[in-house]
Amino acid sequence: MTSQSSDLLAPLDLAFWNIETPEHPMHLGALGVFEAKDPGAARHAVELLAARAAGVPGLRMRIAGVLVPIGGAARVPAADFDPLDHVRLREPVADFHAAAGALMERPLDRGRPPWEAHVLPAADGASFAVLFKFHHALADGLRALTLAAAVMDPMDLPAGRPAKDAAATRRGLRLPVPGLREITLGDLDPRRYPDHVRDLTGSARQAVAIGAAVARATWGVRTSPALGSAPSGTRRTAGVVLDLDDVHRIRKTAGGTVNDVLIAIVAGAVRRWLDERGDGSEGVEPRALVPVSRRRPRTAHPQGNRLSGYLVRLPVAQGDPLARLRTVRSAMDRHKDAGPSRGAGAVALLADHVPPLGLRLGGGLVGRNARLLFDLLVTSVPLPSLGLRLGGCPLTEVFPLAPLAQGQSLAVAVSTYRGRVHYGIVADAKAVPDLETLAGAVTEELTELLEACTL
């Protein structure tokens, strides 16, 4: 327990910290595949990662309880920080995803800075992979990207971009946040009390509205047992790579956004997967939580999760791929019009209305009931368009990996990188022993959408 609270966890960070169990760790990950320049590339990568991690302030922070507020926690420097406790060279592997699944099962050490980097040499020596794991209390997707980029090789910046901004981003330093300021005596002026009361009243109304939307979202849910599971603590991962040009062709023909197309592909893949495994897709409309970042990538405060979300009924039961896309597009347009502060998908914002002690005591209850809120996660993680390297070895593929909540069997994360779309799929290994079937269905759904767009 520490009395230093200068970097308190935001309410959502604290919620992620408290809902974790040994069977359901709340870390997110990224599996990056690099082309090996020589046989010693993987070992050299370990040396570089450890050396660079020592100079990134955000990677030296552990999470510790605080005296005030009761039940709260803060990020504090780890006095005994050793990068070699976090960066590890593994034995050569034949399958990066099989190795990543086993490593994603393991919770991070809560007594140390909650992150790890596992370097996985390929058995044939032609490539190596790095699995980054960051606890969700330490970083959301954008923050994790910043921390990972800080240990990559310096990027060649396009002309006109100030070098000092890029350097600050690589070191994980804080950048200014527009609209945030220190509290002043003027804020305590009694003449401003009506403003404060209005703020509190507005917050209470928002909490009630979100709670009501969550309750309504449970009505008439039509899902599949395949998307839920008893806690097994096992993990499998799979990766799928698509051509971004194909996605753009579908978007230009059928309308919507790239994200609409990527979500519709998930819906179609789930339909194929359920039918092939014999569960059937008829009448199935699982609720997908689509997280929405509430931070600005270039200027946002690097600490703290700033997330809301949209709750989208995936049109798995619809047989026409273009109809599925139209349904997804319509749902996403409605959510965007309403904004990320409304609706059942904004449930993460409720953490702001719960005191730290409540988040600590109620974390287990929330974790056990995550399946009541949504059936699967479909999230997008932005990546820079510039090519990343580690020790001069180019990053060729990168698969984001989302945490799997208790009672859920499937989480899908998507990134676009250098003209290709990368789907990273995390599943409960016992509930979804046929994950490769689902991964193959993603490619098949893209093909069917392309064919439908040419008719």
Side-chain angles (χ1 to χ4, degrees), residues 294-319:
R294 296 167 58 232
R295 69 167 80 224
R296 298 178 183 178
R298 292 187 179 182
T299 58
H301 193 298
Q303 303 282 26
N305 280 276
R306 299 285 297 168
L307 292 173
S308 183
Y310 301 145
L311 194 65
V312 178
R313 294 281 183 102
L314 293 184
V316 170
Q318 291 184 353

Side-chain angles (χ1 to χ4, degrees), residues 340-352:
S341 299
R342 300 176 61 185
V347 64
L349 301 183
L350 294 180
D352 294 337

Side-chain angles (χ1 to χ4, degrees), residues 33-336:
V33 179
F34 297 82
E35 179 184 320
K37 296 194 308 179
D38 55 63
R43 185 171 297 278
H44 182 49
V46 172
E47 296 168 354
L48 283 176
L49 290 171
R52 292 171 179 173
V56 180
L59 297 179
R60 304 177 66 92
M61 307 298 283
R62 66 183 183 90
I63 295 175
V66 296
L67 297 175
V68 179
I70 298 174
R75 299 179 188 83
V76 299
D80 56 349
F81 175 69
D82 183 349
L84 293 177
D85 290 334
H86 302 264
V87 182
R88 293 149 192 176
L89 178 64
R90 298 295 177 179
E91 293 296 319
V93 298
D95 185 334
F96 291 139
H97 282 284
L103 292 169
M104 287 293 288
E105 289 181 8
R106 305 179 187 179
L108 294 165
D109 187 338
R110 291 169 67 92
R112 293 175 175 171
W115 68 275
E116 292 174 350
H118 299 269
V119 179
L120 308 166
D124 62 5
S127 61
F128 66 91
V130 179
L131 173 65
F132 288 101
K133 295 167 55 178
F134 297 98
H135 198 286
H136 222 325
L138 177 70
D140 59 11
L142 286 174
R143 171 64 173 159
L145 171 62
T146 300
L147 292 172
V151 292
M152 295 290 105
D153 294 353
M155 290 188 290
D156 295 328
L157 299 175
R161 179 174 176 181
K164 62 180 182 181
D165 288 350
T169 301
R170 288 192 69 255
R171 293 194 304 270
L173 301 180
R174 298 184 180 185
L175 300 176
V177 187
L180 294 188
R181 56 183 175 80
E182 295 181 357
I183 295 176
T184 67
L185 291 178
D187 295 313
L188 305 180
D189 188 335
R191 290 172 293 183
R192 297 199 60 193
Y193 287 174
D195 296 335
H196 298 319
V197 171
R198 279 194 294 271
D199 290 343
L200 290 173
T201 302
S203 296
R205 288 176 179 169
Q206 181 192 41
V208 171
I210 293 173
V214 169
R216 289 194 299 270
T218 63
W219 299 346
V221 171
R222 291 174 290 169
T223 185
S224 167
L227 297 174
S229 66
S232 75
T234 58
R235 296 289 181 270
R236 301 186 74 190
T237 75
V240 184
V241 181
L242 306 180
D243 191 325
L244 184 57
D245 286 342
D246 289 339
V247 175
H248 279 299
R249 276 192 282 272
I250 295 169
R251 177 189 61 80
K252 291 175 181 178
T253 301
T257 67
V258 166
N259 205 39
D260 294 341
V261 177
L262 298 180
I263 295 172
I265 287 174
V266 173
V270 170
R271 173 186 171 84
R272 293 170 180 276
W273 171 61
L274 292 178
D275 287 343
E276 186 161 341
R277 77 191 328 242
D279 292 343
S281 59
E282 183 177 356
V284 174
E285 264 190 341
R287 298 159 301 166
L289 181 62
V290 181
V292 178
S293 176
R294 296 167 58 232
R295 69 167 80 224
R296 298 178 183 178
R298 292 187 179 182
T299 58
H301 193 298
Q303 303 282 26
N305 280 276
R306 299 285 297 168
L307 292 173
S308 183
Y310 301 145
L311 194 65
V312 178
R313 294 281 183 102
L314 293 184
V316 170
Q318 291 184 353
D320 180 359
L322 291 180
R324 288 194 291 270
L325 176 53
R326 286 193 295 268
T327 300
V328 168
R329 177 186 177 186
S330 178
M332 291 296 288
D333 285 346
R334 288 196 303 271
H335 284 300
K336 291 172 187 175

Side-chain angles (χ1 to χ4, degrees), residues 296-443:
R296 298 178 183 178
R298 292 187 179 182
T299 58
H301 193 298
Q303 303 282 26
N305 280 276
R306 299 285 297 168
L307 292 173
S308 183
Y310 301 145
L311 194 65
V312 178
R313 294 281 183 102
L314 293 184
V316 170
Q318 291 184 353
D320 180 359
L322 291 180
R324 288 194 291 270
L325 176 53
R326 286 193 295 268
T327 300
V328 168
R329 177 186 177 186
S330 178
M332 291 296 288
D333 285 346
R334 288 196 303 271
H335 284 300
K336 291 172 187 175
D337 289 342
S341 299
R342 300 176 61 185
V347 64
L349 301 183
L350 294 180
D352 294 337
H353 304 282
V354 180
L357 185 59
L359 292 172
R360 173 172 290 185
L361 297 178
L365 178 64
V366 172
R368 288 190 296 273
N369 289 282
R371 182 68 195 281
L372 297 177
L373 303 176
F374 61 97
D375 300 300
L376 73 160
L377 184 74
V378 182
T379 185
S380 178
V381 182
L383 289 174
S385 58
L386 296 175
L388 298 174
R389 293 175 178 270
L390 180 59
C393 299
L395 176 66
T396 58
E397 297 177 334
V398 57
F399 301 94
L401 303 172
L404 201 60
Q406 187 170 340
Q408 293 172 332
S409 302
L410 194 64
V412 181
V414 193
S415 283
T416 56
Y417 177 68
R418 296 184 70 78
R420 297 196 293 176
V421 178
H422 295 80
Y423 280 85
I425 309 174
V426 178
D428 183 287
K430 292 186 177 178
V432 188
D434 55 345
L435 184 58
E436 289 76 13
T437 301
L438 176 60
V442 171
T443 303

